[in-house]
Amino acid sequence: MRRSVQFQSPGQVEAGAAAGGRGGSARQQEPMRTEFGFELPRGYVDEAGTVHRTGVMRLATARDELVPLRDDRVRENSAYLSVILISRVVTRIGTVEDIHPGVIEDLFASDLAFLQDFYRRINAEGHTRAAVTCPSCDEEFAVNLAGGRLGES
């Protein structure tokens, strides 16, 4: 019994399922999605007292994960790694576009936890689906190689 597995981006898997699972090379590829909108549970409160809840996070690069490791604040306190990492990938919160570690430090704990989970979902689990073909009936479907559903740890 032989099973074939072809790794695809989430958009490709969903597009293939929507097209009936068949189509081979005729399947149209969607452009890779690199930015994801979010809404904070509580919101960031700026100096003027304005609450900002919606924002955008981009996919992380290898550099985003490596550069914070050289930061003295991370060397002194490894928990600070997530603050710097999140500040590198969040591009906007409300009308605030200058996102730096100080902005992330001022978030409520529940908002930081939300962003950490959101980061994990779009950077790790977002690319763990694979299109597979059943060896018995030749039916094509998608499986999540990471296990679990979004929101579960």
Side-chain angles (χ1 to χ4, degrees):
M1 222 190 252
R2 215 175 142 167
R3 177 176 31 164
S4 69
V5 177
Q6 178 183 7
F7 291 94
Q8 298 176 328
S9 71
Q12 290 173 311
V13 172
E14 291 164 7
R22 304 254 182 245
S25 61
R27 192 180 304 164
Q28 187 177 22
Q29 280 190 332
E30 292 182 19
M32 182 174 168
R33 185 173 174 194
T34 61
E35 291 189 329
F36 301 83
F38 61 82
E39 184 171 334
L40 295 172
R42 297 200 185 271
Y44 168 68
V45 181
D46 66 16
E47 303 85 27
T50 305
V51 178
H52 305 273
R53 293 192 65 199
T54 61
V56 176
M57 181 183 289
R58 65 172 174 77
L59 288 176
T61 63
R63 175 174 281 135
D64 291 324
E65 294 199 350
L66 293 171
V67 167
L69 298 175
R70 296 190 305 238
D71 191 294
D72 290 335
R73 296 169 290 188
V74 173
R75 289 181 181 167
E76 292 174 16
N77 181 1
S78 62
Y80 202 73
L81 173 64
S82 67
V83 170
I84 295 179
L85 187 55
I86 296 297
S87 73
R88 291 181 63 89
V89 296
V90 171
T91 59
R92 180 182 57 78
I93 299 176
T95 59
V96 180
E97 293 184 354
D98 180 21
I99 308 298
H100 51 81
V103 170
I104 303 304
E105 287 174 353
D106 288 342
L107 290 173
F108 293 105
S110 58
D111 289 332
L112 177 59
F114 170 85
L115 289 175
Q116 290 169 326
D117 182 59
F118 192 66
Y119 175 92
R120 181 183 53 80
R121 287 187 293 152
I122 69 172
N123 285 287
E125 292 177 6
H127 297 285
T128 58
R129 286 190 261 173
V132 297
T133 303
C134 176
S136 300
C137 65
D138 285 334
E139 183 68 28
E140 292 182 1
F141 57 96
V143 295
N144 185 349
L145 300 176
R149 289 176 284 177
L150 293 180
E152 293 182 345
S153 294

